[in-house]
Amino acid sequence: MSAQTHPMVIDGKELTFAPGETVLEVARRNGIDIPTLCHLKGTTPTGACRACVVEVQGARSLVAACAMPAAPKMVVSTESPKVATARRMVIELLLASGNHNCLVKGSDGRSFEEYAERLKRAGGGIEPCPAWGDCRLQELAWRYGVTGGRFSPTPVRYPIEDVNPFIVRDFSRCIVCGRCVQACNEVQVNQAIHQGFRGARSKIVAAGDRPYRESDCVFCGECVQTCPTGALVEKDVRHKVRPWETRKVRTTCSYCGVGCQLELNVKDNRVVQVTGVPDVPPNYGSLCVKGRFGFDFIASPERLTQPLIRANGDFRQASWDEALNLVARRLGEVKAASGPDSIGVLASARITNEENYVAQKFTRAVLQTNNIDHCARL
Ligand code: SF4
Ligand code: SF4
Ligand code: SF4
């Protein structure tokens, strides 16, 4: 923050802000929780969802905290009765848009345990939402005691897009908040999706309103991770994996040397999903298609688990001792016959720094050649 600060008041607390900060940023920096749906940290605010409206003394109407620049002597209320009423209306309208057959509907709004139990039991009579409770809209409905039913649902205009390799788009649960567009265009800078059509026909569109797989989409999955509802869900996870069934194991992506931080979501001892670790360098939650979706190999039955030795034009399984002895003997023979520079070693961009260090040490100190390189595809 700049050394130049100004005073303002939020919920009775005198706070300072730097030029350019929004009311939302000042509030969050000071531990004041203003709910948001469309806001995506680090991108241009759109003020699309109106969940973050606050009351500013002297203003004619409520303002969106995510887009409102903080100003000297500004006095803000983030949870006044007027604000709470407006937020309830926003949430009620969003729940009535499309097909939010949400378990928060009909909840008594008092017992979270009862509600969570109903969520876990669902799956019989009604088709459960694939968000499985991992939904910011549902959380807000719970927080503000909105149980739905006040307005008739708007018609579902667009069918589910299920033709993509990794991502299912369910427009019936899309609240057109535009968060995915910000993620695609401003975080990943892929420019693959945009706001399309107008009014009740509003829709997030890929080029020419075609499926992701026929567009410029590179399937990085940033939009899925960013979506606050069940509108974008990973294909292999949809209706199969519930958030509370997995444990998260943090690790470093092994596909390249960037070192992206990710979490393996593990169910029944198998990796079922990969998510980026938010707010941590170097990737700050973002991943590429390989890091996010390229994990099938972990449990592949075709994976090599034992050394193979080629004999008579075919491979046969061998013990590690036999394989290593063979390699050592042959390297020694080649070195004795043709000199160390007749040998070259290819390491890999996919292994760790430590493993590459050992590979170069072995090449230089044991084989006595500088012929060490790596192949990005190994
Ligand atoms: S997307 Fe969210 S609000 Fe809509 S039905 Fe699913 S859980 Fe409920
Ligand atoms: S797909 Fe998700 S992130 Fe994108 S506009 Fe719809 S609800 Fe928002
Ligand atoms: S997967 Fe990546 S490239 Fe494709 S629409 Fe989503 S954010 Fe854009």
Side-chain angles (χ1 to χ4, degrees):
M1 193 170 69
S2 147
Q4 189 191 2
T5 55
H6 304 281
M8 66 181 298
V9 173
I10 303 182
D11 291 347
K13 290 185 195 155
E14 187 155 312
L15 305 170
T16 55
F17 65 93
E21 275 195 298
T22 62
V23 171
L24 180 70
E25 286 167 336
V26 180
R28 289 199 169 161
R29 189 162 48 71
N30 288 283
I32 297 169
D33 179 23
I34 299 176
T36 56
L37 288 167
C38 69
H39 175 72
L40 183 60
K41 194 173 160 187
T43 64
T44 313
T46 61
C49 74
R50 315 308 289 176
C52 70
V53 286
V54 293
E55 196 169 354
V56 175
Q57 206 173 77
R60 278 183 299 176
S61 58
L62 299 178
V63 299
C66 70
M68 185 72 184
K73 299 187 185 156
M74 188 182 246
V75 179
V76 179
S77 300
T78 70
E79 287 287 351
S80 67
K82 203 170 160 186
V83 167
T85 302
R87 273 195 203 137
R88 273 196 284 274
M89 174 64 81
V90 166
I91 297 161
E92 191 84 52
L93 287 168
L94 291 176
L95 273 181
S97 65
N99 175 31
H100 294 277
N101 62 336
C102 191
L103 285 168
V104 79
K105 289 184 175 174
S107 166
D108 64 9
R110 289 193 296 273
S111 162
F112 188 78
E113 286 71 24
E114 180 271 342
Y115 160 67
E117 264 312 304
R118 285 200 310 131
L119 184 66
K120 287 184 185 178
R121 286 199 308 268
I126 66 164
E127 185 206 340
C129 173
W132 283 114
D134 183 13
C135 175
R136 305 294 83 73
L137 178 57
Q138 190 183 54
E139 280 170 18
L140 283 191
W142 175 261
R143 175 169 161 181
Y144 285 92
V146 177
T147 57
R150 190 164 154 201
F151 303 111
S152 307
T154 56
V156 174
R157 292 180 185 275
Y158 304 107
I160 288 181
E161 183 180 300
D162 196 17
V163 295
N164 304 309
F166 304 117
I167 298 170
V168 176
R169 300 169 81 194
D170 181 351
F171 298 99
S172 75
R173 299 184 205 275
C174 174
I175 56 173
V176 205
C177 66
R179 216 167 182 245
C180 53
V181 176
Q182 301 294 94
C184 184
N185 295 350
E186 294 195 24
V187 178
Q188 290 281 7
V189 202
N190 285 329
Q191 310 281 344
I193 50 176
H194 307 275
Q195 299 273 0
F197 305 100
R198 289 289 176 269
R201 296 182 60 79
S202 290
K203 180 190 185 192
I204 305 302
V205 294
D209 194 17
R210 291 197 297 270
Y212 271 11
R213 72 171 185 183
E214 295 170 24
S215 74
D216 293 336
C217 172
V218 294
F219 289 104
C220 65
E222 188 82 17
C223 54
V224 179
Q225 187 163 295
T226 306
C227 180
T229 71
L232 294 174
V233 179
E234 290 163 28
K235 200 165 192 167
D236 288 345
V237 170
R238 198 168 187 268
H239 289 310
K240 291 183 194 135
V241 179
R242 302 162 173 97
W244 60 85
E245 294 174 336
T246 62
R247 67 189 164 89
K248 288 183 185 293
V249 180
R250 181 160 164 191
T251 187
T252 302
C253 181
S254 59
Y255 272 107
C256 78
V258 171
C260 288
Q261 295 301 294
L262 48 81
E263 281 174 328
L264 305 176
N265 295 252
V266 180
K267 178 184 173 185
D268 300 333
N269 220 25
R270 283 179 76 121
V271 176
V272 292
Q273 186 182 25
V274 172
T275 41
V277 182
D279 298 326
V280 172
N283 52 315
Y284 297 94
S286 298
L287 294 171
C288 74
V289 62
K290 292 183 291 180
R292 193 182 300 280
F293 294 114
F295 59 85
D296 280 5
F297 71 91
I298 298 172
S300 169
E302 293 176 8
R303 197 169 169 180
L304 294 182
T305 54
Q306 275 190 291
L308 299 176
I309 291 178
R310 194 195 296 270
N312 302 323
D314 213 348
F315 286 108
R316 67 168 174 82
Q317 285 191 347
S319 68
W320 279 105
D321 280 348
E322 184 188 3
L324 289 172
N325 283 337
L326 174 68
V327 171
R329 181 168 55 77
R330 289 292 297 130
L331 285 174
E333 287 169 1
V334 171
K335 188 176 163 188
S338 311
D341 283 341
S342 63
I343 302 173
V345 173
L346 278 182
S348 170
R350 288 196 194 172
I351 60 178
T352 62
N353 283 344
E354 291 78 3
E355 287 163 330
N356 272 320
Y357 176 81
V358 169
Q360 69 80 29
K361 199 75 178 166
F362 171 76
T363 308
R364 294 195 167 111
V366 178
L367 297 177
Q368 296 175 313
T369 175
N370 287 322
N371 292 340
I372 169 87
D373 207 335
H374 83 279
C375 171
R377 294 170 65 87
L378 283 181

